[in-house]
Amino acid sequence: MNAVPSRRSGLLQRHTSGPRGRTRLVCLPHAGAVPGMFVPWADNLGPDVDLVSARYSTPDDVPGSVADLADRIAGELERLPRRPTTLFGHSMGGIVAYEVARRCSARAGLVRLVVSGTVSPTAHLPGGTHLLDDAAFVAEVLALGGTAPELFADPASRAVWLPPIRQDFRLIDTYRHRSGPPLSCPVTTMAGQHDHEAPPDLMRPWRDITSADFDLRVFPGGHFYLLDARHAVVAELRRRLERPSAMPSSLALP
């Protein structure tokens, strides 16, 4: 199977070639993610999983808030052919995925939310990274990891990539959680054992945002454990896509 960027619909892009899968995995990246971050996952997931990822803005579509972004993504999901759908979000993407899940109707076919490397929405604190001057902003983004340094390697590239990455940080820096009913789908959390941004213990409060099952999976590594442990992460997601409601209540590695 060839993993190739395929048809894009607004903020969503399908990365799977060939027939539509029987299930769908929708991936929401961290702020400043490398374009095409999730493309390599397609081969490991197999042809029966429809892999879709989201971007957070386009030149003609700049959401004003995480709530606005989630409204748009949820609306696009509900216009796709119906499939059992799992949302996966890392770092900022975990918060976005949660807000999308809150907005999904039965039409979206949501069966599980998987959040990675981010504290629960009730513990999220506002930030000011997006307000830094260009030099300080680039230094902060690169220090966090997960963003390719070559995006800022020369003035022309920096001019292209700095505005949308700053927009990502503005969205998450200004996010405020609004209380509401718990989700009705199971929630899985994933964490790096040595993640200082969202350590495993701070992932456990995610259990409070769902009335369904909750579990935590811990991988070796730090905040971007999923880059080094990609095959293990995708294999774990694959197992959950195959058995969306039959996973153990707790599963962790030392």
Side-chain angles (χ1 to χ4, degrees), residues 1-4 15 38-47 51 230 234:
M1 170 186 157
N2 296 318
V4 293
H15 297 293
F38 297 106
V39 172
W41 288 25
D43 284 334
N44 300 111
L45 287 166
L51 177 62
R230 173 169 65 88
V234 175

Side-chain angles (χ1 to χ4, degrees), residues 1 14 16-23 46-51 83:
M1 170 186 157
R14 181 172 177 255
T16 309
S17 61
R20 295 278 181 181
R22 63 175 179 81
T23 64
D48 59 335
V49 178
D50 210 19
L51 177 62
R83 301 282 187 277

Side-chain angles (χ1 to χ4, degrees), residues 12 14 26 54 69 92 98 140 148 150 160 167-168 171 177 183 186 190 199 217 227 232:
L12 298 180
R14 181 172 177 255
V26 179
L69 173 63
M92 170 185 173
Y98 162 71
E140 179 69 14
E150 55 265 28
V160 170
Q167 161 69 4
D168 287 357
L171 289 174
H177 177 254
L183 299 179
M190 295 183 174
R217 181 76 159 84
L227 300 180

Side-chain angles (χ1 to χ4, degrees), residues 22-25 41 44-46 48-49 84 86 88 111-112 114 186 188-190 215-220 225 229-248 250-253:
R22 63 175 179 81
T23 64
R24 178 178 293 123
L25 176 65
W41 288 25
N44 300 111
L45 287 166
D48 59 335
V49 178
T86 295
F88 172 87
V111 295
R112 183 177 294 271
V114 182
T188 291
T189 54
M190 295 183 174
D215 65 291
L216 168 67
R217 181 76 159 84
V218 181
F219 295 85
Y225 73 90
R230 173 169 65 88
H231 293 290
V233 171
V234 175
E236 186 66 30
L237 288 169
R238 173 78 198 187
R239 285 192 289 271
R240 291 166 191 277
L241 291 166
E242 290 172 348
R243 304 174 62 203
S245 302
M247 299 305 298
S250 179
L251 181 60
L253 288 179

